[in-house]
Amino acid sequence: MANTERIKELESLILKYQKAYYDGEGIISDAEFDKLWDELKVLDPQNAILHKVGADSGNFEKVQHVMPMGSQEKAANPEQFLEWAKKHVYEEYLVEYKLDGASLELQYEKGYLKRAVTRGDGSVGDDITENAKKMNGVHHAIYKDGVLVPFTGGIRGEVIMTHEVHKKYFSDKANCRNAANGLMKRKDGEGSEYLKLIAYDALSTDGNSFFKTEQQKIRWLMDCGFNTVRLVICKSPDRVIAYRAKIMEERKTSIEYDIDGLVIKENTINLTDASRARPDRQIAFKFSLEEAVSTIREVEWSISGGTYTPVAIFDEVELNGTKVQRASLANPDTMRQLGVMIGSHVVVVKRGEIIPKIEAVVQEENIQTSPIKYPVVCEVCGTKLVDEGSRLFCPNKQCSKRVLHQLLKYQEVVDIRDLGITLITSLFNDKKLTCISDIYKLTEDDLIPYFLNEESRENEKVSLGAQKVYRSIQSHRKMRLATYIGAFDIEDVGETSAQKLVQAGFNTLEKLLSATEDQIAGVYGFAEVMAHTIVQGLKENADEMRALIQNGIIEIESEEGGKLSGKSFCFTGELVKMKRADAEQLVKKAGGVTKSSVTKDLSYLVTNDVSSGSSKNRKAAELGIPVIDEQQFLDLIGN
């Protein structure tokens, strides 16, 4: 039912924004409109709205098109484009700018302009001939080398406004496209002289042939004096992707008008395909607000425990409505594979709720770059760092930074809430905590100085705070094996990944500690590099892990029979009856697993806004994952 309501809402919004767009006053950006369109496509792929174009206002005479003016299939990122390219293998790919303006069809008869018709609903549009005649690039008659060309048919182009004109005369409009849409449909025709038509398609309707390929078509339009879209030829899909990255940067300063992507097609003219409402043999490879090209200025090294992670600092860009200047480069191997250097032009991505990252380097000549400097020794203990490719880290287990990070990680995963970050840090600095085992050695007397001043202690006042922390520690001595393993701050082993290992048969501490790299790598989702890191981390912590259990300090719970055993949950948005952390603890106690993102193996997405258009809800709909509210979640666990 929730999906049905959301579909109706999307239909209403899309129709509203389409009408505003075709009436010349767009309300939202193309990118925002595309998000609504894509969401509807996920929820209801066969929806009729997806297979028709908008309609113009009723202010002009309606005229039938002579050539199809449908919409195009879209690829929002390189992955989607490559999926399309697998099914469309061409000897060469013709690539044109996707112009961000308003479509217009010029109808000619024996070389003379008869009508200029807007896109409308794809079949019928508004006759704005008198306005069009004032535009740059609209010819009243077609001449080539001074001779009239007896062309009968349609020429399709995009009406645009240049950045210079927008800045000088129409800066009160939100953007060039909105300004152009408004001017081209004015009844009095005022302002049309500020607009420009750029042609990119032509269709002869009387049997005469003026070109045989798409490339020849653009050349013919140029020879006839039309402004034409830029055309390049790429020999492979990978070259298309590289060209797109280059144009993403160039469009900021080198292109006089707005473009919002590229159109990719084959060289063969395919009239049958072009006549479809949504042609299959070409695709619009869109630029997205989730991607931008920027220049790396420096690389900082973020230290988490003993691991050094490179973070790129680049010129500020806007992604998904937020300004971004930093993105993780993951590890040394990733940097080397990308070929990143200081001064490199890079593609920065931020899709959905994922943090920004560097996806690719734009290959350009004559760019001044310099190598990235790698840290050599640990800034805390002075130990020489180890570069394993997949990570750069301090190998000294006694490094104070590593020890404190492990203590904080243990408190977080085991969820000893009253033993907070500030208290742990103070106890560590005073050498009361030097390892995880020391947490359980703390007495009330050890904790009192952190809650009472000297005078209060001399008066033998009771510290309720110290008592509370002590009781909290003692109440967290029984836990699942996955929680115990995940709490030791081992690289690549969080509670979720530890649970996967447990479910794969490594269901005792000894089985995990004796596992080989090949055995770990054999578990679905664990690669060789990851397996190596895990085995080394388990080996490094094995003595303390065993001792805590053998001495009866920690008891590992049996997971058999848990209500949520084998199930995973992701929580998003606010909960009403409890905090998210409490809900996650309920899942774990019932034998389930919690996740921070929506993946294909997720069992449930829990949210009190089940009809939301958030990225997590859309992803769940796309993957067919059940979306439940808080009460349904509580019913599952029997609360």
Side-chain angles (χ1 to χ4, degrees):
M1 180 63 70
N3 278 354
T4 301
E5 292 174 358
R6 180 57 179 166
I7 288 169
K8 289 181 179 178
E9 181 182 11
L10 289 168
E11 289 174 343
S12 175
L13 289 172
I14 288 171
L15 290 173
K16 171 186 173 182
Y17 294 140
Q18 276 184 331
K19 184 179 186 304
Y21 176 86
Y22 287 107
D23 284 350
E25 287 294 337
I27 300 173
I28 61 173
S29 70
D30 275 3
E32 291 171 310
F33 182 87
D34 285 346
K35 286 181 181 179
L36 297 175
W37 184 279
D38 290 341
E39 184 183 351
L40 181 60
K41 190 174 179 181
V42 169
L43 295 177
D44 186 10
Q46 302 306 315
N47 194 290
I49 286 177
L50 300 173
H51 303 283
K52 69 178 182 181
V53 186
D56 291 322
S57 67
N59 296 328
F60 295 89
E61 180 183 350
K62 300 300 179 183
V63 175
Q64 185 80 29
H65 296 151
V66 299
M67 64 187 303
M69 296 183 75
S71 56
Q72 292 170 310
E73 191 63 49
K74 299 192 307 291
N77 53 55
E79 290 79 12
Q80 291 179 9
F81 171 69
L82 288 174
E83 280 298 314
W84 177 85
K86 285 180 184 177
K87 303 172 186 175
H88 301 82
V89 180
Y90 304 150
E91 184 174 331
E92 50 189 22
Y93 294 81
L94 272 62
V95 184
E96 303 171 349
Y97 290 162
K98 185 180 182 299
L99 306 168
D100 190 13
S103 293
L104 188 67
E105 180 188 77
L106 304 180
Q107 298 182 358
Y108 286 89
E109 189 174 326
K110 296 182 179 179
Y112 292 97
L113 178 65
K114 295 300 180 183
R115 298 179 190 84
V117 187
T118 61
R119 186 182 187 186
D121 66 2
S123 299
V124 175
D126 287 343
D127 183 346
I128 62 165
T129 306
E130 294 309 310
N131 290 0
K133 286 179 177 179
K134 300 178 183 179
M135 299 175 188
N136 178 301
V138 174
H139 301 303
H140 298 206
I142 302 176
Y143 288 90
K144 182 179 178 183
D145 299 326
V147 178
L148 181 71
V149 179
F151 175 82
T152 296
I155 291 176
R156 183 175 178 179
E158 199 85 347
V159 178
I160 60 95
M161 176 180 286
T162 65
H163 297 150
E164 182 179 357
V165 168
H166 180 259
K167 182 179 179 181
K168 189 173 181 179
Y169 300 108
F170 303 99
S171 57
D172 60 317
K173 296 295 184 181
N175 51 52
C176 295
R177 184 199 67 200
N178 280 12
N181 268 304
L183 291 177
M184 68 185 280
K185 295 179 182 177
R186 285 182 63 122
K187 288 296 287 185
D188 59 11
E190 287 187 12
S192 290
E193 64 271 20
Y194 291 111
L195 304 178
K196 183 175 185 177
L197 181 83
I198 299 176
Y200 56 85
D201 203 1
L203 175 68
S204 173
T205 58
D206 64 355
N208 290 324
S209 177
F210 297 90
F211 37 78
K212 294 182 179 179
T213 66
E214 291 288 347
Q215 191 176 2
Q216 289 176 9
K217 181 190 296 180
I218 297 296
R219 169 53 63 183
W220 178 81
L221 287 167
M222 289 176 63
D223 292 342
C224 291
F226 288 97
N227 303 314
T228 57
V229 68
R230 182 178 177 182
L231 171 68
V232 299
I233 296 175
C234 294
K235 293 295 185 181
S236 70
D238 286 339
R239 292 309 305 157
V240 173
I241 293 171
Y243 178 68
R244 172 176 175 267
K246 180 173 180 290
I247 297 302
M248 279 173 63
E249 182 173 34
E250 283 187 359
R251 66 177 173 148
K252 299 176 187 176
T253 56
S254 303
I255 303 175
E256 66 172 359
Y257 47 81
D258 289 335
I259 63 173
D260 59 357
L262 303 172
V263 175
I264 293 88
K265 59 179 72 171
E266 61 185 336
N267 201 9
T268 302
I269 294 176
N270 191 321
L271 296 179
T272 301
D273 186 64
S275 65
R276 297 190 178 106
R278 209 168 179 84
D280 175 66
R281 303 292 293 177
Q282 58 180 269
I283 192 168
F285 194 177
K286 301 262 299 184
F287 301 148
S288 170
L289 289 178
E290 298 174 334
E291 299 181 11
V293 175
S294 189
T295 303
I296 291 185
R297 300 303 177 187
E298 60 178 307
V299 170
E300 294 179 353
W301 293 85
S302 173
I303 309 172
S304 178
T307 302
Y308 287 63
T309 302
V311 178
I313 315 298
F314 43 81
D315 293 339
E316 186 178 273
V317 294
E318 188 167 312
L319 298 172
N320 269 354
T322 59
K323 293 180 179 179
V324 178
Q325 281 185 290
R326 305 165 62 87
S328 173
L329 285 165
N331 55 54
D333 267 356
T334 297
M335 286 205 303
R336 287 188 276 262
Q337 289 165 6
L338 287 171
V340 173
M341 301 183 79
I342 305 299
S344 291
H345 292 181
V346 294
V347 178
V348 188
V349 301
K350 182 173 182 273
R351 299 196 174 98
E353 297 180 5
I354 301 174
I355 60 174
K357 73 170 186 174
I358 306 296
E359 185 173 79
V361 173
V362 181
Q363 300 299 329
E364 296 179 282
E365 297 179 359
N366 303 319
I367 297 294
Q368 294 294 321
T369 60
S370 58
I372 294 170
K373 293 182 179 179
Y374 287 63
V376 178
V377 298
C378 175
E379 68 171 27
V380 177
C381 67
T383 303
K384 185 178 180 180
L385 299 179
V386 175
D387 185 350
E388 286 189 341
S390 60
R391 64 178 181 138
L392 181 67
F393 67 100
C394 172
N396 177 16
K397 186 176 180 349
Q398 301 308 315
C399 174
S400 60
K401 187 119 183 167
R402 287 191 62 183
V403 174
L404 177 58
H405 194 271
Q406 187 179 50
L407 290 168
L408 294 171
K409 182 71 173 182
Y410 188 87
Q411 178 270 339
E412 177 190 356
V413 175
V414 177
D415 198 30
I416 312 176
R417 296 183 198 176
D418 297 305
L419 183 64
I421 295 174
T422 302
L423 182 54
I424 286 179
T425 303
S426 297
L427 289 164
F428 172 78
N429 290 337
D430 293 341
K431 302 191 185 312
K432 297 284 187 181
L433 291 180
T434 61
C435 62
I436 289 172
S437 299
D438 286 347
I439 293 175
Y440 295 96
K441 295 175 184 177
L442 290 172
T443 65
E444 283 190 38
D445 288 340
D446 291 328
L447 294 166
I448 286 174
Y450 299 92
F451 292 91
L452 299 179
N453 59 30
E454 189 173 341
E455 182 181 348
S456 297
R457 294 199 302 274
E458 287 177 356
N459 293 330
E460 298 184 352
K461 288 190 175 181
V462 174
S463 172
L464 297 178
Q467 289 179 356
K468 187 177 181 182
V469 171
Y470 177 76
R471 286 197 296 268
S472 183
I473 291 171
Q474 298 308 311
S475 67
H476 287 82
R477 292 172 54 169
K478 186 176 182 179
M479 64 192 74
R480 300 184 313 147
L481 179 59
T483 302
Y484 187 58
I485 299 300
F488 267 79
D489 197 27
I490 297 170
E491 189 84 13
D492 289 333
V493 185
E495 195 172 359
T496 300
S497 55
Q499 183 65 23
K500 287 182 179 179
L501 292 173
V502 171
Q503 292 173 343
F506 301 97
N507 52 7
T508 68
L509 179 62
E510 287 307 317
K511 286 180 180 178
L512 273 171
L513 295 179
S514 61
T516 65
E517 290 184 20
D518 286 343
Q519 288 173 326
I520 297 292
V523 178
Y524 178 76
F526 291 79
E528 291 181 7
V529 172
M530 192 175 178
H532 170 74
T533 304
I534 291 171
V535 169
Q536 292 300 312
L538 288 169
K539 181 179 179 182
E540 190 177 60
N541 290 279
D543 290 344
E544 187 172 22
M545 285 180 166
R546 287 191 175 105
L548 283 167
I549 293 175
Q550 291 170 358
N551 295 333
I553 297 170
I554 297 298
E555 179 185 348
I556 300 300
E557 295 176 318
S558 171
E559 296 189 34
E560 294 180 5
K563 284 186 178 180
L564 302 183
S565 179
K567 302 233 177 347
S568 56
F569 295 77
C570 175
F571 295 86
T572 185
E574 292 186 13
L575 299 180
V576 176
K577 297 184 179 180
M578 66 185 75
K579 294 180 180 179
R580 187 183 297 186
D582 293 326
E584 291 176 341
Q585 284 302 312
L586 287 176
V587 171
K588 294 172 186 177
K589 287 178 180 178
V593 173
T594 61
K595 293 176 176 286
S596 60
S597 60
V598 177
T599 57
K600 63 182 179 181
D601 58 345
L602 183 70
S603 302
Y604 297 97
L605 174 65
V606 183
T607 175
N608 280 326
D609 192 1
V610 294
S611 62
S612 164
S614 72
S615 59
K616 285 184 178 178
N617 284 48
R618 292 201 307 271
K619 186 71 171 178
E622 182 181 336
L623 297 174
I625 293 167
V627 180
I628 61 175
D629 60 24
E630 184 178 355
Q631 187 55 54
Q632 290 172 307
F633 163 71
L634 292 174
D635 292 342
L636 272 178
I637 61 176
N639 277 30

